[in-house]
Amino acid sequence: MEKVCVLGAGGTKYGKLEDSISDIAIQASAEAIESAGIQPKEINAGYISNVFGVADKQVHLGPVIMSNLGIPEKPSLTIESACGSGSVSFREAFANVAAGFYDAILVTGVEKITHTGTEWTTTYFSYCSDFFYEGQAGASFPGLFASMALAYLTEFKATEEDFAEVAVKNHDNGLLNPKAHLRKKITIEDVMKSPVVASPLKLYDCCPFSDGASSVVLCSEKFAKEHSKDYIHVIGSGRGGSPAALQGREHMTTIPSTKIAAEAAYKMAGITPKDIDFAEVHDCFTVAEIIDSEDLGFFEKGKGVQGVREGQTKRNGEIPLNPSGGLKSKGHPIGATGVGQVVEVFEQLTGKAGERTVKDARIGLTHNFGATGASCAVHIFQSV
Ligand SMILES: CC(C)(COP(=O)(O)OP(=O)(O)OC[C@H]1O[C@@H](n2cnc3c(N)ncnc32)[C@H](O)[C@@H]1OP(=O)(O)O)[C@@H](O)C(=O)NCCC(=O)NCCS
């Protein structure tokens, strides 16, 4: 297997954006290629992650992006895996570089959805659930994660204030991220007083609807060495699945696909959770970050809340989670999110994260899932 590297990264701001889906995808792609210090013609293929291109009247995004980069002859494909599309796209690109099929691949994730409004965005997103059992029955994602939150509160010694603490931390991190969607200092009281979306989850427990695009260039180590000093190694990659509908799960307070993907990634990297210096995890709702932190092996089951209370997951804590601001503050343009997490790890490990730098970090992890965790991918990166 070839050693795989991330050579460059870029992206638009996340939030409510005016430009079209194609425009933001092209902007992010061009920025990643420039950051890699290469010419577009050196890219062998494009892997694009997107879920609802149809909402902005553009599917088949690959050829549009490649044409605008001046390389229409290069092959491309679009990958959809709900909110986990970005990491699945990254994984497929990783596998193709590792197998020696390509030297350099552009991975771009993009979503443009906010113009459809709250009702339609919620409806579109529900198509990512197991629609027969969930979406069609009126269960939106806030509703599904509220069920998980309620189970967590019932099963463990946790409080709604513990969930609020996750939002406060991620908003603090997002304040230091110029590309974050919600850049606003909040307090526990703000979270507790915010409107209930699906009890026990309140407005500030939820990630927002976001537009945005993120992009990275993946390549073989030989290609990386020929082009730049600023690259990082991908040392672990794992994927996993869970029953699509929540009702098919044995437990509501764990996500099987995370455990399966993490185990595979740790095994490939030859490390354990203790070796991870920081992680970008899928905090679509505050409770999800706590569940993720346990499923990824950073805390024992039911002890994730203790880690939050003790500040262990803060940027200067023992295991910083979401230094970018996470989905909660940085935003969640669903097709872009998994790629955006890799952008953050690249910036952290190459000294480009500015004020939000995690001190002395050498190994970073990304964790991104689709729907309530029906599909998941975990990646582990190390500085050179
Ligand atoms: C919570 C939610 C319903 C709020 O959406 P909304 O009612 O359309 O909110 P609006 O866009 O009208 O914004 C209203 C205000 O709340 C703020 N806001 C919106 N979503 C927010 C969030 N998640 N957290 C904090 N503030 C938020 C807006 O900035 C705006 O503030 P302003 O009035 O000061 O400008 C929506 O963000 C949501 O469903 N989030 C979850 C998305 C999701 O399920 N993703 C998939 C995960 S698997």
Side-chain angles (χ1 to χ4, degrees):
M1 211 164 84
E2 291 280 344
K3 243 185 176 175
V4 183
C5 305
V6 180
L7 183 65
T12 65
K13 187 183 166 355
Y14 287 180
K16 290 190 184 198
L17 304 183
E18 293 298 322
D19 289 346
S20 71
I21 189 168
S22 310
D23 284 346
I24 58 176
I26 294 159
Q27 287 161 26
S29 304
E31 201 178 303
I33 290 170
E34 193 186 333
S35 147
I38 62 172
Q39 295 301 315
K41 63 177 186 315
E42 293 175 272
I43 296 286
N44 301 131
Y47 282 57
I48 315 304
S49 48
N50 175 249
V51 187
F52 295 115
V54 69
D56 204 35
K57 304 188 183 78
Q58 184 65 66
V59 294
H60 207 204
L61 275 154
V64 175
I65 296 170
M66 302 309 255
S67 297
N68 278 278
L69 292 172
I71 46 172
E73 71 283 4
K74 299 293 169 79
S76 59
L77 83 164
T78 308
I79 287 177
E80 182 274 304
S81 197
C83 304
S85 300
S87 59
V88 172
S89 190
F90 183 89
R91 153 77 168 203
E92 295 308 307
F94 166 83
N96 274 279
V97 173
F101 283 117
Y102 298 121
D103 286 330
I105 299 181
L106 176 73
V107 180
T108 296
V110 62
E111 210 64 53
K112 180 79 199 300
I113 196 76
T114 62
H115 60 285
T116 66
T118 307
E119 195 178 332
W120 262 109
T121 306
T122 305
T123 303
Y124 275 132
F125 282 16
S126 73
Y127 301 157
C128 298
S129 66
D130 186 336
F131 193 71
F132 182 79
Y133 293 111
E134 298 178 333
Q136 154 176 277
S140 64
F141 279 109
L144 292 166
F145 278 91
S147 304
M148 293 166 83
L150 216 47
Y152 196 96
L153 290 173
T154 311
E155 206 170 321
F156 303 110
K157 285 187 185 130
T159 64
E160 292 180 36
E161 282 80 359
D162 293 327
F163 296 162
E165 198 80 61
V166 173
V168 170
K169 168 185 71 72
N170 288 349
H171 272 251
D172 279 349
N173 289 343
L175 270 175
L176 303 178
N177 186 346
K179 289 186 174 173
H181 182 166
L182 299 173
R183 300 186 72 200
K184 186 177 172 187
K185 173 99 187 139
I186 56 167
T187 62
I188 301 283
E189 203 186 356
D190 292 331
V191 183
M192 296 305 289
K193 283 191 173 162
S194 64
V196 173
V197 174
S199 180
L201 300 177
K202 296 164 278 298
L203 180 66
Y204 283 111
D205 286 300
C206 307
C207 66
F209 296 131
S210 314
D211 306 319
S214 293
S215 190
V216 294
V217 173
L218 262 155
C219 65
S220 63
E221 189 173 36
K222 181 170 175 285
F223 185 96
K225 279 185 172 157
E226 284 165 6
H227 290 85
S228 172
K229 285 196 196 74
D230 275 346
Y231 61 87
I232 60 174
H233 286 136
V234 188
I235 58 171
S237 173
R239 285 217 57 208
S242 309
L246 275 187
Q247 68 189 36
R249 312 262 174 100
E250 211 172 317
H251 300 287
M252 294 280 275
T253 55
T254 185
I255 295 177
S257 60
T258 297
K259 289 185 154 184
I260 297 165
E263 197 185 331
Y266 288 134
K267 189 172 174 207
M268 187 186 287
I271 63 171
T272 72
K274 285 194 173 49
D275 297 307
I276 302 295
D277 294 320
F278 72 98
E280 285 287 306
V281 305
H282 199 92
D283 61 323
C284 48
F285 298 91
T286 48
V287 63
E289 182 174 299
I290 294 169
I291 291 176
D292 301 341
S293 72
E294 298 170 1
D295 289 340
L296 289 165
F298 302 139
F299 299 101
E300 280 172 34
K301 196 72 231 152
K303 297 283 168 55
V305 275
Q306 205 171 312
V308 174
R309 283 179 207 144
E310 292 169 359
Q312 293 187 46
T313 56
K314 287 187 176 171
R315 210 175 55 260
N316 58 0
E318 280 147 59
I319 176 66
L321 299 183
N322 288 321
S324 70
L327 283 59
K328 174 74 257 294
S329 163
K330 181 186 174 196
H332 187 24
I334 60 175
T337 293
V339 185
Q341 293 177 329
V342 180
V343 173
E344 176 68 14
V345 172
F346 178 81
E347 292 183 350
Q348 288 284 349
L349 297 181
T350 55
K352 298 183 177 77
E355 281 184 282
R356 58 179 200 286
T357 299
V358 176
K359 203 162 164 270
D360 299 329
R362 286 204 66 233
I363 298 183
L365 176 148
T366 59
H367 161 260
N368 173 222
F369 60 65
T372 50
S375 56
C376 179
V378 170
H379 288 94
I380 304 174
F381 306 82
Q382 187 167 25
S383 57
V384 178

